[in-house]
Amino acid sequence: MQMRGTAVERVSLLGQARRRVLGLSTAEASFERRGFVTGEDVARQCLEQIGVTFLSGYHAALEETGFVSLAQRLAEVEADLRGFAFEGAAMGLALLDCFTPWRKDRWHTFTERLGQSHIYMMHVGFGWALARLRRSVTVHLAKLDPLLCWLVVDGYGFHEGYFNWPQYVERQAIPARLNGYELRVFDQGLGRSIWFVKGADVAAVVSAINAFPSSRRDDMWSGVGLACAYAGGCSRAAIESLRVI
């Protein structure tokens, strides 16, 4: 669900300019554009809606110059999709922090003041921003909560699988900017992205993960479990079929 048009009509000239420079087309969330597996229409519509909701939150962060107005726009999103909007907003705030050297506290300040109810998603969205900027995550982890910081790496992995799946899912590339346990958490995010890449098609998800070395599969399955529970997109019968594959 996208936010109501009245909110967009109220944005400042600065917000409009930031949207023009950094905005992304909602077509980026379509299966056709991404080249994802297209199975059941219900699954495709569900997962595409999540992508569009993420982008609506991202664009809200670009357009709104005040934290309260941003939080109000995010609150307009349906409750079951609101977390994805916060995730997108987190990416937007983190990108603005990187592109505007005169202010680098947007993500941190919004997370502390108004993003606590979706603090997990705020960290995941931070990881999206680092992936888009091709930045190392290592230097940022020490500045964050020692537990929540790993969600940043998860977001990094999801981004790479979602936008660069031929490289990371099909060719099973190892990210060059990550080290040690970061690589395991990357695989958790990558596994979560596979749920989207394979269109919530259970057999296709199983096949994709089984193609990876066995040492990587446990973390990927952790990501799949989170994706099918939080994002959904397939029937109970399809999930039950995992037991016999």
Side-chain angles (χ1 to χ4, degrees), residues 34-36 128 131 134 153-170 172-173 175 186-198 212 216 220:
R34 301 262 59 84
F36 291 170
W128 276 69
R134 300 301 175 204
V153 189
D154 182 286
Y156 193 107
F158 183 91
H159 176 280
E160 296 297 72
Y162 190 90
F163 285 100
N164 301 308
W165 63 266
Q167 177 180 359
Y168 288 100
V169 177
E170 297 300 318
Q172 303 178 10
F186 174 91
D187 277 349
Q188 293 170 28
L190 185 65
R192 196 158 53 85
S193 76
I194 288 174
W195 185 254
F196 286 74
V197 173
K198 299 304 179 182
F212 279 82
R216 300 183 65 181
M220 289 182 174

Side-chain angles (χ1 to χ4, degrees), residues 80-100:
D80 59 344
L81 291 170
R82 195 173 300 152
F84 299 109
F86 271 82
E87 185 180 356
M91 183 179 83
L93 294 170
L95 285 178
L96 289 174
D97 284 344
C98 292
F99 287 131
T100 53

Side-chain angles (χ1 to χ4, degrees), residues 171-207:
R171 297 196 292 273
Q172 303 178 10
I174 304 295
R177 297 176 180 83
L178 304 182
N179 301 285
Y181 187 66
E182 295 168 3
L183 292 169
R184 291 194 58 185
V185 184
F186 174 91
D187 277 349
Q188 293 170 28
L190 185 65
R192 196 158 53 85
S193 76
I194 288 174
W195 185 254
F196 286 74
V197 173
K198 299 304 179 182
D201 182 301
V202 174
V205 169
V206 171
S207 178

Side-chain angles (χ1 to χ4, degrees), residues 107-120:
W107 179 88
H108 179 79
T109 302
F110 185 85
T111 299
E112 288 296 313
R113 294 181 182 176
L114 297 167
Q116 287 294 305
S117 60
H118 295 281
I119 193 168
Y120 288 5

Side-chain angles (χ1 to χ4, degrees), residues 54 86-98 104 107-108 111 118-137 139-145 148-157 159:
F54 176 96
F86 271 82
E87 185 180 356
M91 183 179 83
L93 294 170
L95 285 178
L96 289 174
D97 284 344
C98 292
K104 291 182 171 294
W107 179 88
H108 179 79
T111 299
H118 295 281
I119 193 168
Y120 288 5
M121 305 306 281
M122 292 300 297
H123 283 76
V124 173
F126 189 5
W128 276 69
L130 295 178
R132 293 199 74 79
L133 294 170
R134 300 301 175 204
R135 301 282 181 87
S136 169
V137 302
V139 296
H140 295 276
L141 298 186
K143 303 175 185 178
L144 300 171
D145 180 275
L148 297 177
C149 69
W150 296 112
L151 293 167
V152 175
V153 189
D154 182 286
Y156 193 107
H159 176 280

